[in-house]
Amino acid sequence: MGDVYGYIRVSSRDQNDDRQIIALQKMNVSAKNIFIDIQSGKNFERPSYKHMVQQLKKDDLLYIKSIDRLGRNYEEVLEQWRVLTKEKGVDIVVLDMPLLDTRRGKDLMGTFLSDIVLQVLSFVAENERTNIRQRQAEGIAAAKARGVKFGRPPLPYPDNFNEIHSNWRNKKITLRQAANACGMPIGTFYDKARKLENSV
């Protein structure tokens, strides 16, 4: 038998990975073989995951707490599962789903059942990611409807803006000179100038 590894993913720094760490420790995964990414599960462009895959070799065993910790992109989860199990010859155990244990049921029926479960769970994981995005969009829309402002507040007009604007419109100074005199990028100055003119 090869080495034993564990993979953990949390989406942000304020999420707690203790539950996953405890689960892997119960499987006697040594700390040096636990790889952790703090990143979205939308794809596999994750540094710790890539580093782990480079180390994995035939007959190694990989534990993950649940399939959505591996990823939330349906097609990419299936592809990574194929790469790990078929190309690299690694066994995978999903602790929250005993049916997803490639060590057992190596016969045709066992493989068939685990493939079906994997596809269903991968679909559910991606569907949840889609639902999260939709809920976020709906929450933002509702907040905007209540008058909540997002992003940085607009920069106030500098005291000398009207004078500089007038000099620029009268072609006494260039657009770049006007923006520099106001201490703002050209695009910002131009946008504020347009708003000022439209409000008159």
Side-chain angles (χ1 to χ4, degrees):
M1 185 177 168
D3 295 321
V4 179
Y5 291 84
Y7 179 69
I8 291 172
R9 183 187 66 78
V10 290
S11 297
S12 60
R13 293 194 178 280
D14 57 355
Q15 281 191 324
N16 197 322
D17 57 12
D18 288 351
R19 191 174 61 91
Q20 296 178 69
I21 290 173
I22 291 168
L24 295 181
Q25 287 173 339
K26 285 181 179 177
M27 297 294 106
N28 297 317
V29 183
S30 68
K32 69 181 178 66
N33 283 351
I34 295 178
F35 291 80
I36 303 174
D37 277 311
I38 302 171
Q39 207 165 330
S40 161
K42 66 181 180 181
N43 60 45
F44 284 86
E45 293 302 314
R46 306 179 217 136
S48 288
Y49 180 80
K50 286 182 169 182
H51 186 217
M52 178 188 72
V53 171
Q54 287 176 347
Q55 292 196 28
L56 288 170
K57 60 191 183 303
K58 184 173 171 43
D59 295 327
D60 283 346
L61 175 60
L62 173 63
Y63 284 106
I64 54 175
K65 182 77 171 77
S66 57
I67 196 67
D68 65 339
R69 298 304 88 200
L70 184 60
R72 289 189 179 273
N73 182 308
Y74 174 63
E75 290 182 358
E76 289 199 22
V77 167
L78 295 178
E79 174 60 15
Q80 287 300 311
W81 190 278
R82 186 193 66 76
V83 167
L84 293 174
T85 59
K86 303 290 195 296
E87 291 184 14
K88 295 188 76 76
V90 173
D91 275 314
I92 304 176
V93 175
V94 179
L95 296 172
D96 284 356
M97 181 56 60
L99 279 173
L100 288 178
D101 181 344
T102 61
R103 297 171 303 177
R104 64 180 73 171
K106 295 266 187 185
D107 60 354
L108 189 61
M109 181 56 75
T111 302
F112 175 70
L113 286 173
S114 66
D115 282 353
I116 288 176
V117 172
L118 174 63
Q119 291 193 35
V120 170
L121 291 178
S122 298
F123 173 78
V124 169
E126 178 163 4
N127 197 48
E128 175 60 15
R129 184 169 74 96
T130 301
N131 289 339
I132 288 170
R133 283 204 311 264
Q134 183 176 342
R135 287 195 295 269
Q136 286 173 337
E138 289 170 354
I140 290 169
K144 284 182 176 177
R146 293 194 310 270
V148 176
K149 301 289 185 191
F150 290 88
R152 292 180 297 185
L155 291 171
Y157 287 91
D159 294 336
N160 60 349
F161 188 83
N162 287 339
E163 178 188 348
I164 293 170
H165 172 260
S166 176
N167 289 339
W168 169 60
R169 279 302 184 199
N170 292 322
K171 302 198 184 306
K172 292 180 180 177
I173 57 175
T174 65
L175 177 61
R176 182 178 296 281
Q177 288 170 331
N180 288 342
C182 289
M184 58 181 62
I186 291 174
T188 304
F189 175 85
Y190 187 75
D191 185 52
K192 286 187 175 294
R194 294 282 301 276
K195 286 179 181 173
L196 178 68
E197 291 161 12
N198 290 336
S199 68
V200 174

